[in-house]
Amino acid sequence: MTRQSASRTEPLGPGVGRVETRLATVADPDHPLQLVSGDHLDHVEVAYETYGSLSPERDNAVYICHALTGDAHAAGIHDGETKPGWWDNIIGPGRAIDTDQWFVVSSNLLGGCSGTTGPTSMNPATGQVWGTAFPQIDMHDFVEVHLRLAAHLGIEKFHAVVGGSMGGMQALDWSLTHPDTLDNAVIVAASSRLTAQNIAFSAVGREAIVRDRDFDDGHYLDADRRPDTGLSIARMLAHITYLSEDAFAEKFGRTHQFGEPRRGFGVDFAVESYLDHQGETFLTRFDPLSYIYLTRVMDYFDPFGTTGATDLVVADPVNYLVVCFDTDWRFSPAHSRRIVRHLEGAGLPVSFFTIASSWGHDSFLMKLDPYHDLVRAFLEVPAGRRTGRASRRAPHHDGHICTREVDR
Amino acid sequence: MTRQSASRTEPLGPGVGRVETRLATVADPDHPLQLVSGDHLDHVEVAYETYGSLSPERDNAVYICHALTGDAHAAGIHDGETKPGWWDNIIGPGRAIDTDQWFVVSSNLLGGCSGTTGPTSMNPATGQVWGTAFPQIDMHDFVEVHLRLAAHLGIEKFHAVVGGSMGGMQALDWSLTHPDTLDNAVIVAASSRLTAQNIAFSAVGREAIVRDRDFDDGHYLDADRRPDTGLSIARMLAHITYLSEDAFAEKFGRTHQFGEPRRGFGVDFAVESYLDHQGETFLTRFDPLSYIYLTRVMDYFDPFGTTGATDLVVADPVNYLVVCFDTDWRFSPAHSRRIVRHLEGAGLPVSFFTIASSWGHDSFLMKLDPYHDLVRAFLEVPAGRRTGRASRRAPHHDGHICTREVDR
């Protein structure tokens, strides 16, 4: 197939329109949230958005799990803003996650900094911000909070849980630990186990934050300075891994930002200007401690490292769609293949596709038609057609120009 | 061929023994060094070492060009130390660059911080350290200083100029600009043109230094603080690119440094400890401004971007050996192939080999037998055997278990 640079600009119809982020209290002293670490949280608020309408049977809900630095605002437009949510190209009327058909729920992660309880929230027990006293969290804790939000919304079972990158890890964890609460899981550009190199990139980003003098052992939240230098550096570094080498070459090559070379200490090449901009804008929307807490969750995620990891889901099978992108080197296709091997090895129904895209890891956020068509078709296949739930037969998707691979 | 993890530990015989770094003055007010930037330096000292003996005919000299953070101490042992020079495994009696046969010269780069004049040196005109007032430098300037050292040593022509990574770039530049001063060039794991991704990695490292508050607009040399945080971060980041993903997996995997996981803000995974150590030890031997100046030289290097780049060398051909490593993703084999394409396109004699090694870019520093055998054989082929100097015939190396590729 050809590279999808053309199709990603195909115009979209109107989206979900005006939306707002709401808050739900999902843990209180009578219903504390027990964490994997052994700690518990007496108060947890979750920021979330919903798009579309829940059917009377409550059987059309789709949960969106965000990646490392996402938030609840996945689609539509906030009052007074013009930029839509971070996954607006896939969620909306007639879009791949079609809000004419599905009731879509999107929430901000525990430990995040966009409305859900995290290290920048107030600890009610002390009246102070949590800071580094916020407990260590785990992928399971994310899923637990998602399920509490579901209960708050009156949803017992999701038609699908969908996520890219760390969002895909949540979808995977959810399917393994609570398979009775979802029918389908869509796992895009994810990993079940970071490599040493993956951890290395996260580690250098964290070190840039922690070693920034303004981090002040994590007490910066009480001060008027923040380790912005460290956070920018971490973000710039991460962005190198989000694009493929070819995408960098295509986007920037060796062009100079100001026409003529300005050899010296500042920005000169266009790629430097891009990274600089990414580092700066990130400061307006993210918190250094949240960055540390959330990257750590990814480092430790290793669900198949536990004996019996698939026992629950084998007893109550979930249908899987695993998607990766050929030029993704943040989580290369080998990561997705490992997920597929484990799931197929347990006899679970898995569809696996590698999409050709020159954009690397960032492809999961892009409107690449074969990718979106695939997600649309997977969500629309009636549950009844997936009869052999514990068989190795994956649902068949006609007419997609994607490469299907199953690699054991 | 099989991966070379076994052979790289094959014991070496005794090396060149006790050595010392000497200083040569190669520019003074009567013979200033004119730089590409238009500036000049009225005083340049070069730190260098030599191994072996110069033949009476002065025809057995081999110049070693170091990579980004190397120094003049390539082989042997300094008084009071136990660790040999950075390329000791390839230089010595009976080694691939055999000091029983060759007179080896190794020097520290202009702009460096290990003896040769650079931003940490005193500017004689002001009596102050240069700091950011040190002029911008270029790959051509490196070569000019090497040639001045050669003149100081009474060497008009080198049997070979050898270098890995940025050392290979110097060897390439030298061969293109002063082909009359060398017979052979050995260019290992190098590039003739950094990609946007390559520049991105350097840029984030530089930003970590420049944004460190202790950088103080480059005035830290007059203060009692240095941007050590930034320099460590830059080094940690660079080290991620020096090893292949497989090498990281093999060396560290997901093992924990202290046996049991210690989830939190500090080092836990072994790979984190490794990077931490690399960042720390680098501080004892490198300077932040030198790091900025030298990485900038690489960013701007693009010899084949100039019309007529090969005119001089075509008129007075140099024999080339270009070597790369299959898992190198800092400068992938594609970079070496581009060098080969340009040289072969100009009708120059080029031998090109891709060595299988699981270690990535760092392979150029390792004792991989096929690689060292290749360098040895290339250096030993008598000049007379390379008759068709302007032909496309590369010298033939018998018995090497390396893959030979010529890619146009």
Side-chain angles (χ1 to χ4, degrees):
Chain A
M1 65 178 292
T2 52
R3 300 275 159 179
Q4 295 303 317
S5 44
S7 65
R8 76 191 175 98
T9 56
E10 197 174 279
L12 288 162
V16 298
R18 197 62 49 88
V19 295
E20 59 176 13
T21 303
R22 276 163 290 175
L23 286 176
T25 300
V26 301
D28 60 38
D30 293 334
H31 307 88
L33 181 73
Q34 189 61 44
L35 300 171
V36 170
S37 65
D39 291 322
H40 65 273
L41 288 167
D42 274 346
H43 183 78
V44 176
E45 287 207 318
V46 175
Y48 72 99
E49 298 191 358
T50 66
Y51 322 111
S53 306
L54 188 59
S55 65
E57 300 80 13
R58 299 176 171 271
D59 64 354
N60 70 331
V62 171
Y63 206 106
I64 305 295
C65 302
H66 73 67
L68 180 62
T69 69
D71 56 30
H73 182 36
I77 293 177
H78 280 177
D79 207 18
E81 296 186 357
T82 54
K83 206 181 152 196
W86 58 269
W87 220 5
D88 190 76
N89 63 22
I90 204 170
I91 301 165
R95 297 184 188 175
I97 301 176
D98 188 346
T99 50
D100 289 339
Q101 185 169 4
W102 310 116
F103 176 65
V104 178
V105 180
S106 168
S107 67
N108 182 222
L109 282 176
L110 182 70
C113 49
S114 304
T116 296
T117 299
T120 56
S121 306
M122 201 186 68
N123 175 359
T126 64
Q128 308 283 316
V129 288
W130 275 105
T132 56
F134 194 76
Q136 292 297 320
I137 50 180
D138 185 275
M139 203 70 73
H140 289 345
D141 300 324
F142 291 159
V143 173
E144 211 57 46
V145 172
H146 296 335
L147 285 166
R148 288 196 176 205
L149 175 62
H152 173 87
L153 297 170
I155 301 166
E156 287 186 1
K157 188 162 197 164
F158 284 86
H159 175 67
V161 174
V162 181
S165 197
M166 191 166 77
M169 300 183 195
Q170 294 159 57
L172 175 59
D173 196 71
W174 187 333
S175 73
L176 297 176
T177 56
H178 298 85
D180 54 319
T181 62
L182 74 167
D183 284 327
N184 301 287
V186 179
I187 299 168
V188 185
S191 174
S192 65
R193 184 181 163 89
L194 268 59
T195 64
Q197 191 195 64
N198 294 150
I199 294 171
F201 276 110
S202 294
V204 176
R206 279 192 300 267
E207 287 296 311
I209 296 170
V210 168
R211 295 182 186 202
D212 184 325
R213 206 182 306 151
D214 292 333
F215 183 68
D216 190 20
D217 286 331
H219 301 308
Y220 67 88
L221 290 166
D222 307 319
D224 59 352
R225 301 192 98 141
R226 216 175 65 137
D228 281 347
T229 294
L231 186 60
S232 291
I233 296 295
R235 182 63 170 176
M236 292 168 79
L237 170 52
H239 262 282
I240 300 179
T241 71
Y242 295 159
L243 283 185
S244 67
E245 175 150 28
D246 283 351
F248 267 110
E250 187 169 320
K251 253 175 115 107
F252 309 107
R254 293 175 53 88
T255 55
H256 294 279
Q257 185 66 14
F258 312 102
E260 285 300 299
R262 292 186 185 177
R263 205 180 283 213
F265 302 106
V267 163
D268 183 356
F269 291 97
V271 65
E272 295 181 290
S273 175
Y274 166 79
L275 292 173
D276 202 60
H277 176 75
Q278 295 296 340
E280 279 307 305
T281 56
F282 191 54
L283 299 178
T284 63
R285 68 178 187 86
F286 222 79
D287 172 74
L289 271 178
S290 280
Y291 197 82
I292 292 174
Y293 275 93
L294 298 185
T295 56
R296 264 302 194 208
V297 172
M298 269 200 284
D299 287 357
Y300 288 94
F301 185 57
D302 183 15
F304 298 121
T306 308
T307 312
T310 53
D311 288 356
L312 289 176
V313 70
V314 164
D316 190 357
V318 167
N319 294 294
Y320 291 94
L321 171 62
V322 177
V323 180
C324 62
F325 302 95
D326 60 350
T327 58
D328 183 353
W329 68 280
R330 168 70 175 143
F331 296 137
S332 70
H335 286 262
S336 289
R337 283 192 205 105
R338 186 186 299 119
I339 294 172
V340 171
R341 269 201 307 278
H342 280 285
L343 297 175
E344 289 252 355
L348 292 159
V350 185
S351 295
F352 175 44
F353 292 83
T354 303
I355 305 284
S357 159
S358 50
W359 298 99
H361 191 61
D362 263 1
S363 303
F364 86 89
L365 292 167
M366 290 182 173
K367 188 181 175 302
L368 302 165
D369 287 343
Y371 158 43
H372 282 198
D373 289 347
L374 189 61
V375 171
R376 177 198 307 275
F378 182 79
L379 294 179
E380 286 177 358
V381 171
R385 277 193 53 195
R386 296 203 183 97
T387 47
R389 298 202 85 193
S391 88
R392 285 168 192 269
R393 300 299 305 162
H396 182 71
H397 300 286
D398 285 324
H400 292 293
I401 51 167
C402 304
T403 312
R404 183 175 188 282
E405 302 174 28
V406 174
D407 175 312
R408 278 152 208 289
Chain B
M1 64 179 293
T2 54
R3 298 275 161 182
Q4 296 303 320
S5 42
S7 66
R8 77 192 174 96
T9 56
E10 198 174 279
L12 288 162
V16 298
R18 195 62 49 88
V19 296
E20 59 176 13
T21 303
R22 274 163 291 175
L23 286 176
T25 300
V26 301
D28 59 40
D30 293 333
H31 307 87
L33 180 72
Q34 190 60 46
L35 301 171
V36 170
S37 66
D39 291 322
H40 65 274
L41 288 168
D42 274 345
H43 184 77
V44 176
E45 287 208 317
V46 176
Y48 72 99
E49 298 191 357
T50 66
Y51 322 111
S53 305
L54 187 58
S55 65
E57 300 79 13
R58 299 178 172 270
D59 64 354
N60 70 331
V62 171
Y63 205 106
I64 305 293
C65 302
H66 73 65
L68 180 62
T69 70
D71 55 30
H73 183 36
I77 294 179
H78 280 178
D79 206 20
E81 295 187 359
T82 54
K83 206 180 151 197
W86 57 270
W87 220 4
D88 189 75
N89 63 23
I90 203 170
I91 302 165
R95 298 184 188 174
I97 301 175
D98 189 346
T99 50
D100 289 339
Q101 186 168 5
W102 311 115
F103 176 65
V104 178
V105 180
S106 167
S107 68
N108 183 221
L109 282 176
L110 182 70
C113 48
S114 303
T116 296
T117 299
T120 57
S121 305
M122 200 186 69
N123 176 357
T126 64
Q128 308 284 315
V129 286
W130 276 104
T132 57
F134 194 76
Q136 291 297 320
I137 49 180
D138 186 274
M139 203 69 75
H140 289 345
D141 300 324
F142 291 160
V143 173
E144 211 56 48
V145 173
H146 296 335
L147 285 166
R148 289 196 175 206
L149 175 62
H152 173 87
L153 297 172
I155 301 167
E156 286 186 1
K157 187 162 198 165
F158 285 87
H159 175 67
V161 175
V162 181
S165 197
M166 191 167 76
M169 300 184 196
Q170 294 159 55
L172 174 59
D173 197 71
W174 188 332
S175 72
L176 297 177
T177 56
H178 298 85
D180 54 318
T181 62
L182 73 167
D183 283 326
N184 300 287
V186 179
I187 300 168
V188 185
S191 174
S192 64
R193 186 181 162 90
L194 267 60
T195 64
Q197 190 195 66
N198 294 151
I199 295 172
F201 276 111
S202 294
V204 176
R206 278 192 300 267
E207 286 296 311
I209 294 170
V210 169
R211 295 182 186 205
D212 185 324
R213 206 182 306 151
D214 292 333
F215 183 68
D216 191 19
D217 286 331
H219 301 307
Y220 66 90
L221 290 166
D222 306 318
D224 59 351
R225 303 190 98 139
R226 215 175 65 138
D228 282 347
T229 294
L231 186 60
S232 292
I233 295 295
R235 182 64 171 176
M236 293 168 78
L237 170 52
H239 262 282
I240 300 180
T241 71
Y242 295 160
L243 283 185
S244 67
E245 175 150 28
D246 283 352
F248 267 110
E250 185 169 322
K251 250 175 117 106
F252 310 108
R254 293 176 50 90
T255 55
H256 294 279
Q257 185 65 14
F258 312 104
E260 286 299 300
R262 292 186 184 178
R263 205 180 283 214
F265 301 105
V267 163
D268 184 355
F269 291 97
V271 65
E272 295 181 290
S273 176
Y274 165 79
L275 292 173
D276 203 60
H277 176 75
Q278 297 295 341
E280 280 306 307
T281 55
F282 191 54
L283 299 179
T284 64
R285 69 178 187 85
F286 221 78
D287 172 74
L289 270 178
S290 280
Y291 197 82
I292 292 174
Y293 275 92
L294 298 185
T295 56
R296 263 306 193 205
V297 172
M298 269 199 283
D299 287 357
Y300 287 93
F301 185 57
D302 184 16
F304 299 120
T306 308
T307 311
T310 53
D311 289 355
L312 289 176
V313 70
V314 164
D316 189 359
V318 167
N319 294 294
Y320 290 94
L321 171 63
V322 178
V323 180
C324 64
F325 302 95
D326 59 351
T327 58
D328 183 352
W329 68 279
R330 169 68 175 144
F331 296 137
S332 71
H335 287 263
S336 289
R337 281 192 207 105
R338 186 186 299 118
I339 294 172
V340 171
R341 267 201 309 278
H342 280 285
L343 297 176
E344 290 251 354
L348 293 159
V350 184
S351 295
F352 175 44
F353 291 84
T354 303
I355 304 284
S357 159
S358 49
W359 299 100
H361 191 61
D362 263 0
S363 303
F364 87 88
L365 292 167
M366 291 183 172
K367 188 183 176 300
L368 302 165
D369 286 343
Y371 158 42
H372 282 198
D373 289 347
L374 189 60
V375 171
R376 177 198 307 274
F378 182 79
L379 293 180
E380 287 178 358
V381 171
R385 278 191 55 194
R386 297 200 183 98
T387 48
R389 298 200 84 191
S391 87
R392 285 166 193 270
R393 301 298 307 163
H396 182 71
H397 299 286
D398 285 323
H400 292 294
I401 52 168
C402 305
T403 313
R404 181 173 189 283
E405 304 172 27
V406 174
D407 174 310
R408 277 153 209 287

